[in-house]
Amino acid sequence: MSHLKTALITALLGATALTASPVVAKDLRIALQSDADVLDPDQSRTFVGRIVYTSLCDKLVDITPDLEIIPQLATSWTTSDDGTAITMQLREGVVFHDGTPFNAEAVAANIERSQTLDESRRKSEVQSITSTEVTGEYEIVLNLAGPDATLMAQLADRAGMMVSPTAAAEAGADFGLNPVCSGPFTFTERVAQDKIVLSRFDDYWNADAIHFDSVTFLPIPDTTVRLANLQSGDIDMLERLAATDLAQAEQDPDIVVNSAVSLGYQGITFNINNGEKGDNPWGNDKRLRQALSLAIDRNAINQVVFEGAFAPGNQPFPSTSPWYNKDFPVPARDVEAAKALLAEAGYPDGIDLEVQAPNTTVPLQMMQVIQSMAAEAGIRISIVAKEFATQLADQSAGDYVASQVGWSGRVDPDGNNHQFVTTDGGINDSKFSDPKVDELMNAARVAATTEERRALYNEAMVIMLDELPRLFLYHQTWIWAHNASLKGFTPYPDGMIRLEGVTWEE
């Protein structure tokens, strides 16, 4: 090697040492708006749980920020001409956190678990898979009952998260107490309502892209406290910065703000027929639900609560979505029409309504605004604040009349609808049931073209916006804030925090 080349290399190394470089020996601390529910991809349903899974559990496929399906544990796939079989090639050299190898047998076991575990909420998401065939150590065929336009999008989420078959078989329904997946971090400990700690998995197939020793997720429901903790350095990143705190965060030179329009919605779910509490005026008479919708000014909510940063909504997807039914624009507030519907339903002097809501800042602020609006129409709302995981548990059990709850959204429109409104839907907490809606939702899953699917969803929307088992309010923009030393974070419309390629540079 020449002296000139040696000197050049030495100079470059010296220059590199002087510049900021990623620091591996760091615990990344991320504040969540609420605590996750059970850490089992087959059983869980919280948005924050999915954020934890992004670091804990790899999926068969993932998405790009532009919502394209891309490889993760499956490296490629082909669909048969008749749409009834998907052949997947799987990534080699992957192991689960307990050392169990990832292969086609593991995928088959995961799909079987999602379909057969009594507690599984993924059953409707993978019901089109009639059988699996292991055709090689790293090749599997998914046989389908018919074409399923939604399946790959489902496999980009919890239905596609791969857990260790060994650990799953041993733990059964208790798997969530010590989850074992194959993602970049392993489960270390959990203290309910306090923290979830994950540690770097050295045998991760993409370990070179991971630059933290551990990641700790901290549930901090109060938005103001979350931001204060970020500014003080107690946390490094937070999800769902309140729109009212946006200006303060953007003015801080030590904080970086990122955002992405979400795929989901926020609204109020009614108990239509879920146990004894479903036998109530609000569950039994759609006119009451229609009256509440008419009493609400969605545009005013966006301005008052969200500083105009979000989008008023009345459907499962925002008006910018190709799936939005333009024949049903966001309704204007009409207090007199609301009063007339109440009188028609037999309540000329008004009616009480109990709504459970998360015990976090923004939902409670919004419900207080709705409470004030509804009162003008004669609807007397009482708000019951609950810790979010408790709220969901009560909702599942039917222990509620109405629940202010949302959905983070899915790439495919099926994910925002089917499981909520079909008769046996996995998270149909209303127990709403309509044979025509079932027919339309099931048909949309197998329709050959986007145009056909859109027509089916439009027809279903006519029924759903009349029945209103879910009353939609707005579509949020995900807003993240993080320490300026955190580099390389990419915002995604699904609201997840992907740590591949993210570094810490002092």
Side-chain angles (χ1 to χ4, degrees):
M1 184 181 290
S2 71
H3 290 298
L4 178 60
K5 187 175 287 185
T6 303
L8 181 58
I9 291 172
T10 303
L12 285 172
L13 288 171
T16 303
L18 292 171
T19 59
S21 60
V23 178
V24 175
K26 173 164 176 63
D27 171 40
L28 186 67
R29 296 169 63 82
I30 300 175
L32 306 176
Q33 182 167 291
S34 55
D35 200 12
D37 60 348
V38 58
L39 290 177
D40 179 344
D42 277 329
Q43 298 187 60
S44 64
R45 57 183 294 176
T46 57
F47 172 68
V48 290
R50 290 173 60 225
I51 294 177
V52 176
Y53 290 139
T54 306
S55 291
L56 183 67
C57 302
D58 274 5
K59 304 165 292 190
L60 288 172
V61 293
D62 200 8
I63 61 169
T64 68
D66 296 324
L67 307 182
E68 295 176 28
I69 306 289
I70 57 170
Q72 194 166 64
L73 292 177
T75 54
S76 64
W77 51 92
T78 55
T79 304
S80 62
D81 291 340
D82 63 0
T84 62
I86 299 174
T87 302
M88 287 189 161
Q89 307 301 321
L90 305 175
R91 190 175 298 281
E92 299 182 23
V94 175
V95 293
F96 291 100
H97 299 150
D98 60 358
T100 300
F102 169 76
N103 51 30
E105 294 284 358
V107 175
N110 269 268
I111 291 170
E112 181 182 8
R113 184 178 193 266
S114 295
Q115 292 181 325
T116 61
L117 182 72
D118 287 343
E119 297 82 2
S120 174
R121 296 182 181 279
R122 310 282 82 86
K123 291 175 182 175
S124 66
E125 297 169 16
V126 292
Q127 69 180 17
S128 63
I129 303 175
T130 54
S131 67
T132 58
E133 289 178 60
V134 174
T135 51
E137 187 175 3
Y138 298 104
E139 182 179 273
I140 189 167
V141 179
L142 311 181
N143 294 311
L144 312 182
D148 184 352
T150 75
L151 184 59
M152 292 307 296
Q154 300 287 15
L155 297 180
D157 206 324
R158 279 178 288 219
M161 291 177 188
M162 296 288 105
V163 306
S164 164
T166 307
E170 289 176 358
D174 292 329
F175 176 84
L177 298 175
N178 185 27
V180 181
C181 294
S182 68
F185 296 89
T186 66
F187 178 77
T188 301
E189 69 166 322
R190 178 176 192 178
V191 179
Q193 306 303 324
D194 181 40
K195 62 183 178 181
I196 296 171
V197 182
L198 310 181
S199 300
R200 177 185 171 90
F201 180 44
D202 290 333
D203 292 329
Y204 184 53
W205 64 270
N206 195 23
D208 288 348
I210 303 301
H211 303 289
F212 299 97
D213 271 358
S214 60
V215 55
T216 299
F217 296 97
L218 304 155
I220 303 177
D222 190 296
T223 54
T224 303
V225 174
R226 279 207 300 282
L227 179 57
N229 282 1
L230 179 62
Q231 291 179 310
S232 69
D234 288 339
I235 63 169
D236 305 311
M237 184 178 198
L238 63 83
E239 55 96 16
R240 278 178 287 182
L241 178 75
T244 47
D245 292 332
L246 187 56
Q248 180 184 345
E250 288 180 331
Q251 288 165 7
D252 189 324
D254 297 323
I255 290 177
V256 173
V257 175
N258 292 107
S259 65
V261 178
S262 80
L263 304 169
Y265 62 82
Q266 286 287 329
I268 296 173
T269 293
F270 291 93
N271 188 344
I272 307 295
N273 193 31
N274 189 350
E276 291 181 9
K277 277 202 169 181
D279 187 12
N280 71 79
W282 291 91
N284 295 337
D285 195 333
K286 66 183 180 183
R287 291 173 295 186
L288 300 183
R289 305 190 291 271
Q290 292 169 351
L292 178 60
S293 182
L294 285 166
I296 296 170
D297 187 332
R298 291 163 173 81
N299 287 301
I301 289 173
N302 184 39
Q303 295 303 322
V304 171
V305 183
F306 306 119
E307 305 280 322
F310 294 173
N314 68 321
Q315 293 180 37
F317 2 77
S319 58
T320 53
S321 166
W323 303 101
Y324 185 83
N325 188 337
K326 293 180 172 57
D327 292 338
F328 295 96
V330 175
R333 187 183 191 216
D334 192 334
V335 174
E336 293 308 313
K339 289 179 178 178
L341 277 172
L342 292 182
E344 186 183 311
Y347 299 93
D349 298 322
I351 185 173
D352 296 335
L353 172 63
E354 181 182 281
V355 182
Q356 64 171 12
N359 64 340
T360 52
T361 317
V362 174
L364 290 176
Q365 288 175 345
M366 180 185 68
M367 279 309 308
Q368 287 161 1
V369 173
I370 289 175
Q371 184 182 48
S372 176
M373 291 175 174
E376 293 180 30
I379 299 170
R380 299 177 292 271
I381 292 178
S382 57
I383 304 167
V384 180
K386 295 183 178 181
E387 189 277 322
F388 191 55
T390 302
Q391 176 185 341
L392 288 184
D394 290 347
Q395 202 174 288
S396 296
D399 188 13
Y400 78 106
V401 175
S403 186
Q404 195 287 295
V405 69
W407 183 241
S408 53
R410 297 296 180 267
V411 174
D412 190 276
D414 178 88
N416 284 14
N417 289 290
H418 193 284
Q419 56 199 333
F420 295 98
V421 295
T422 52
T423 300
D424 296 315
I427 38 184
N428 182 355
D429 294 334
S430 286
K431 299 303 182 206
F432 170 76
S433 180
D434 184 291
K436 186 62 177 177
V437 170
D438 290 352
E439 176 190 324
L440 293 166
M441 287 291 158
N442 289 329
R445 283 187 156 183
V446 300
T449 67
T450 299
E451 290 70 25
E452 289 177 58
R453 297 186 76 204
R454 187 180 293 113
L456 291 162
Y457 284 123
N458 283 347
E459 191 175 346
M461 202 61 59
V462 174
I463 301 170
M464 289 191 291
L465 292 182
D466 179 60
E467 292 286 345
L468 286 181
R470 296 177 294 170
L471 189 162
F472 303 102
L473 296 169
Y474 70 92
H475 307 278
Q476 70 188 93
T477 297
W478 303 129
I479 308 175
W480 298 267
H482 61 77
N483 189 299
S485 294
L486 193 73
K487 307 292 185 182
F489 171 69
T490 302
Y492 279 68
D494 64 359
M496 297 299 100
I497 298 173
R498 290 166 173 82
L499 294 179
E500 286 82 2
V502 179
T503 60
W504 187 268
E505 299 177 8
E506 297 285 2

